[in-house]
Amino acid sequence: MTTISPLIAGNWKMNGVSQSLDELTELAHLLTTGEAPRAVVVICPPATLVAAVAAQGASSGIMAGGQDCHANASGAHTGDVSAYMLADAGAQFVIVGHSERRADHGETDDHVRAKAEAAIGAGLKPIICVGETEAQRDAGEAESVVAAQLAASIPDAAGQHEVIIAYEPIWAIGTGRTPSNDDIAQMHASIRARLVDRFGAEKGNTLRILYGGSLKPQNAREILAVENVNGGLVGGASLLAKDFYTIISAV
Ligand code: PEP
């Protein structure tokens, strides 16, 4: 059996100013004075703080990631940030296809795949988000919806590079609700099977599949122990160092 080192990524979303780096200082303190973390730790702050997080996090092993990137390397795209710019700022990861981007900016699977390709081209590891709505789950379509997103959002380049999948049921994000452990296990097994089908057993069994959606200090230990859950993508609970550290320590 392949062992996959778990990864816990914090998505600060549109939260955080320079003062928020105090939480990073606190997290670094907890990580370096407590028991050594068994997980790779990533913080994805707003683009304005990526360089600061990358610089400040380095000494405690905290890595920085972007929350999105443009598919092009540069050009006339006012307000956008490219994968190269994130890499230049010190990021090593970038979230692509988060459901809030898909909903707020009309991002399709094709956009997400192009962004993931751009990320790989810039030397970043894309965290590719997929997940169903509540109506889709109620209609028994969760696995087929996620399978279609995976097929269209993951670039072929994932066969030779590292990509990370984040399963985030949309109805669980920011709501305090989570699927049952059995439902998480079933979805992650389905994702694993599709990765193996597409990229072969050797590669498909090494790619991380994160769970995201109301992952909290209270439920982290249970959820992170579910088979094929190789870490988590954490929104709200990543904003406070103490909570995020408790989740990291639950691995
Ligand atoms: C997210 O937005 O990626 C997320 C998982 O949010 P939360 O943990 O707040 O549900």
Side-chain angles (χ1 to χ4, degrees), residues 100-228:
E100 287 154 13
R101 300 274 331 162
R102 290 179 187 257
D104 296 354
H105 299 270
E107 291 187 5
T108 63
D109 290 330
D110 285 346
H111 293 128
V112 176
R113 189 179 64 250
K115 287 169 184 242
E117 274 164 3
I120 290 169
L124 300 179
K125 298 175 183 74
I127 302 174
I128 303 171
C129 300
V130 294
E132 81 285 356
T133 63
E134 185 156 32
Q136 288 164 334
R137 175 158 286 272
D138 290 346
E141 295 166 356
E143 277 185 39
S144 60
V145 165
V146 167
Q149 290 174 334
L150 291 169
S153 302
I154 304 178
D156 289 337
Q160 291 81 47
H161 296 271
E162 186 177 343
V163 303
I164 296 150
I165 309 303
Y167 167 58
E168 298 208 305
I170 296 169
W171 52 273
I173 294 178
T175 60
R177 297 164 57 208
T178 56
S180 69
N181 292 344
D182 284 351
D183 285 346
I184 294 175
Q186 194 176 324
M187 181 62 84
H188 279 239
S190 158
I191 295 172
R192 177 68 66 208
R194 284 163 212 284
L195 294 174
V196 166
D197 263 6
R198 181 159 167 199
F199 299 109
E202 203 178 318
K203 180 72 182 180
N205 281 320
T206 63
L207 296 175
R208 291 185 182 101
I209 307 171
L210 311 184
Y211 169 78
S214 295
L215 197 56
K216 305 282 179 205
Q218 302 86 308
N219 60 20
R221 192 167 293 280
E222 252 189 87
I223 292 177
L224 294 171
V226 171
E227 195 166 1
N228 282 306

Side-chain angles (χ1 to χ4, degrees), residues 7 11 19 48 54 58 67 82 99 102 132 140 147 158 161 179 187 197 204 238 240 243:
L7 181 149
N11 173 13
Q19 206 189 331
T48 48
Q67 296 177 10
S82 79
S99 59
R102 290 179 187 257
E132 81 285 356
H161 296 271
M187 181 62 84
D197 263 6
S238 69
L240 288 179
D243 288 350

